[in-house]
Amino acid sequence: MRIPSRLARRLLPAALLLAGAASAAPVRYTLDKDHTYPSFEADHMGISTWRGKFNHSEGWVELDKAAGSGSVEVSIALDSIDFGQEALNTWARGKDFLDTAHHPRAVFKGHLAGFVDGAPTRLEGSLTLHGVTRPMALRIDHFKCIPHPLFKRDYCGADALGSFDRSAFGLDAGKDYGFDMQVALRIQVEALRDK
């Protein structure tokens, strides 16, 4: 059966659009544990700012650049907290603060948003910490993908930041001494496309 040329001209753009939609799909990336270190800044009695990081985390990203969508999950091992001072690390893991024996992980889950030229500018989701889940948004200041020089697969990295009130998660140690409950959270993340 022969399709008239006028009808073919009308159907061609729709066919190309459908073909592109069928081929576009989210791509899954696994977080590179050696290049992903959530870090934080917290007040110490209003006289200084303590900084630390978590040495162990894992997770994944699903990204559809063409559709401007994606999702993220980052799971942080709380017993890997590192202030650079072992006595403080031990206290933070204990029952008076993080209580890692009962709450071993913090988890951020969210979706990528605010895409500009194929790159997300925000993460919108929730943080689960100390058995409590609260909404959380992170700003993405930098996002870039390159071919990994060794693995020859897409490799993406980002810097995301936001803040939260730790007392909303039941972590109010020091509040009676005037500690500011706001904590700045930064997540430097790199992820390799799955095979």
Side-chain angles (χ1 to χ4, degrees), residues 173-184:
K175 189 172 187 177
D176 294 341
Y177 295 101
F179 283 64
D180 187 341
M181 295 291 103
Q182 282 298 122
V183 175

Side-chain angles (χ1 to χ4, degrees), residues 128-150:
T128 300
L129 175 63
H130 204 243
V132 178
T133 301
R134 297 272 188 250
M136 184 169 196
L138 299 170
R139 186 178 81 230
I140 299 174
D141 279 348
H142 179 77
F143 180 91
K144 183 177 181 179
C145 295
I146 62 169
H148 193 285
L150 298 176

Side-chain angles (χ1 to χ4, degrees), residues 85-156:
Q85 183 189 71
E86 195 50 45
L88 187 53
N89 296 344
T90 300
W91 174 83
R93 292 182 196 116
K95 63 181 177 60
D96 293 327
F97 197 58
L98 292 174
D99 192 11
T100 60
H102 294 101
H103 306 287
R105 304 195 81 74
V107 178
F108 177 85
K109 294 182 181 179
H111 63 274
L112 299 165
F115 279 72
V116 176
D117 297 327
T121 61
R122 296 188 317 276
L123 272 167
E124 298 173 351
S126 63
L127 176 66
T128 300
L129 175 63
H130 204 243
V132 178
T133 301
R134 297 272 188 250
M136 184 169 196
L138 299 170
R139 186 178 81 230
I140 299 174
D141 279 348
H142 179 77
F143 180 91
K144 183 177 181 179
C145 295
I146 62 169
H148 193 285
L150 298 176
F151 299 113
K152 308 303 182 192
R153 300 198 309 268
D154 205 26
Y155 192 61
C156 297

Side-chain angles (χ1 to χ4, degrees), residues 58-110:
E58 60 187 15
W60 52 265
V61 177
E62 281 191 353
L63 176 63
D64 187 335
K65 292 180 191 176
S69 65
S71 55
V72 174
E73 182 172 318
V74 180
S75 177
I76 302 165
L78 295 176
D79 64 357
S80 71
I81 194 167
D82 186 356
F83 281 98
Q85 183 189 71
E86 195 50 45
L88 187 53
N89 296 344
T90 300
W91 174 83
R93 292 182 196 116
K95 63 181 177 60
D96 293 327
F97 197 58
L98 292 174
D99 192 11
T100 60
H102 294 101
H103 306 287
R105 304 195 81 74
V107 178
F108 177 85
K109 294 182 181 179

